[in-house]
Amino acid sequence: DLIAFTGRYQRDTLEIESFNYLWGDSELTRKLLDALLYRCLYHLLCIHTANYKYGFVGGFEQSLVLVIEKSQFIKDISDLSHISDLDKIKTFLEFLEFPTDFEKAKNADAALQPLFVHQESYFIPCFHIIESNLERNLMTLLARNESKLFDKQSKKFEEKMVSKIEEKLLGKLYKKNYKKRINKKDQEFDFLLIDEKNKKVLIIELRWMIQPADPREVIQKTKACMEKVEKIKQKKEFFLENISEFAKDLELPLLHEYSVDGIVVIDGYSGCFTEDLTIPLVPMEIFNIALKKSKDFKSLYQSLCTLKWLPQENIHFKFSSYTLDNKEGIFHVPAIELLDGYAKNYLKSLDSFFLEYE
């Protein structure tokens, strides 16, 4: 019971209801991930208990890696997950194996493939697995090594974003998943938000991302965000060039009098600024708060352009530093310190900011 509780408490999930992997669906995968986590916890608890009971010196530190025959590990995962199909478990575990082939190993990532094989045994770094975001890592590995399978289903993530945004649009004028072909050119708009009172159209571009796992991925995600900003520019140009066609489709005869702007909404990553301040780049959670609290789409756009919705210095955080003292010398490292009640105070301030923005 302790192992099960700890495992469930530790592990983050992507909250995707249906996603197919090489070995099965999301529900099966969650059971396998939980079983992997429980088995690693069980190993560490056993070592810790034996070390405490018998007073071994260094016993715990020397046994951080679980060494176990592959066949026995498959059986353990089966017992913990209550999955009897051993072939599915074997496929799942093999997907997490670090390659033994030298050429493949050069491009592999030990953080994503933490099961090391020698002869017929696994060498498993239990602490690493326990501390990892297992589902995120698995999805990252799938996108890298089985890109066709991942790309085929990636639309599901943006569909979930669309659903969450649509919940906040009751009683408002909008178009979703709107496709338009003019002069052999195609554009698809995730959302068009229409404010008739203020004569405003907002083009909303959505992008779901897997949380970055290393600095290389941070750079890739930042690049992908900037590509979305450029995409907004292209869609805005397409919209304005064909304003009369859109006026017919949207039944807005005065559409030529409307101002048109865009917002990029990102889910899963938000660690970069937009390169064009007229096109806000906003995390999904912040956008939903703004959408719910703003009095109209004009205020929504203008408030997000100000960047005042970002955490404020000396209110939500402060710049700080910490000291590293070792044999090479003393190092003063700059840092950011979150102030008490940061999350609660920040979200509360967002409610007020978007509600009162003029």
Side-chain angles (χ1 to χ4, degrees), residues 56-229:
F56 297 139
V57 177
F60 187 43
E61 291 80 359
Q62 293 173 7
S63 302
L64 296 179
V65 174
L66 168 61
V67 182
I68 186 171
E69 290 185 0
K70 292 177 67 173
S71 58
Q72 181 59 51
F73 194 64
I74 291 171
K75 183 178 182 303
D76 289 351
I77 296 298
S78 176
D79 291 342
L80 287 166
S81 64
H82 303 291
I83 296 171
S84 58
D85 192 329
L86 300 185
D87 287 335
K88 289 183 177 180
I89 296 174
K90 184 181 178 186
T91 302
F92 165 73
L93 294 176
E94 287 177 346
F95 190 69
L96 295 177
E97 290 178 6
F98 192 84
T100 54
D101 178 84
F102 178 73
E103 290 302 318
K104 291 181 179 179
K106 286 195 297 185
N107 296 317
D109 189 335
L112 305 180
Q113 294 169 283
L115 304 186
F116 296 87
V117 181
H118 178 63
Q119 296 179 350
E120 293 301 316
S121 294
Y122 277 132
F123 289 70
I124 304 172
C126 293
F127 266 132
H128 165 71
I129 289 175
I130 290 168
E131 293 175 348
S132 296
N133 187 328
L134 295 176
E135 202 161 329
R136 188 276 313 276
N137 287 357
L138 189 66
M139 192 68 73
T140 300
L141 185 60
L142 187 74
R144 288 185 185 180
N145 293 357
E146 296 291 337
S147 58
K148 289 183 179 179
L149 179 60
F150 177 83
D151 293 342
K152 186 178 178 181
Q153 303 175 84
S154 61
K155 196 71 177 176
K156 293 179 180 179
F157 300 110
E158 288 190 7
E159 287 172 356
K160 188 168 184 180
M161 291 180 72
V162 168
S163 178
K164 285 185 176 181
I165 290 173
E166 198 168 20
E167 292 173 0
K168 310 292 188 302
L169 292 173
L170 292 176
K172 298 178 180 178
L173 185 58
Y174 68 94
K175 283 273 190 179
K176 71 171 182 177
N177 300 328
Y178 176 51
K179 298 178 182 179
K180 191 70 175 172
R181 181 177 176 83
I182 300 174
N183 298 327
K184 298 182 180 180
K185 292 182 180 180
D186 297 286
Q187 285 291 1
E188 181 175 358
F189 300 86
D190 295 324
F191 277 101
L192 287 179
L193 306 184
I194 303 163
D195 185 339
E196 291 183 283
K197 178 183 176 182
N198 296 294
K199 294 185 178 181
K200 186 79 173 175
V201 173
L202 290 179
I203 300 169
I204 307 301
E205 183 74 10
L206 306 181
R207 181 67 154 86
W208 183 90
M209 298 182 179
I210 303 171
Q211 294 174 348
D214 56 41
R216 178 183 60 181
E217 288 191 5
V218 170
I219 294 171
Q220 292 171 347
K221 305 301 182 191
T222 300
K223 182 181 177 181
C225 288
M226 295 307 106
E227 289 172 354
K228 282 295 183 180
V229 171

Side-chain angles (χ1 to χ4, degrees), residues 49-61:
T49 302
N51 193 45
Y52 181 79
K53 182 177 180 179
Y54 299 107
F56 297 139
V57 177
F60 187 43
E61 291 80 359

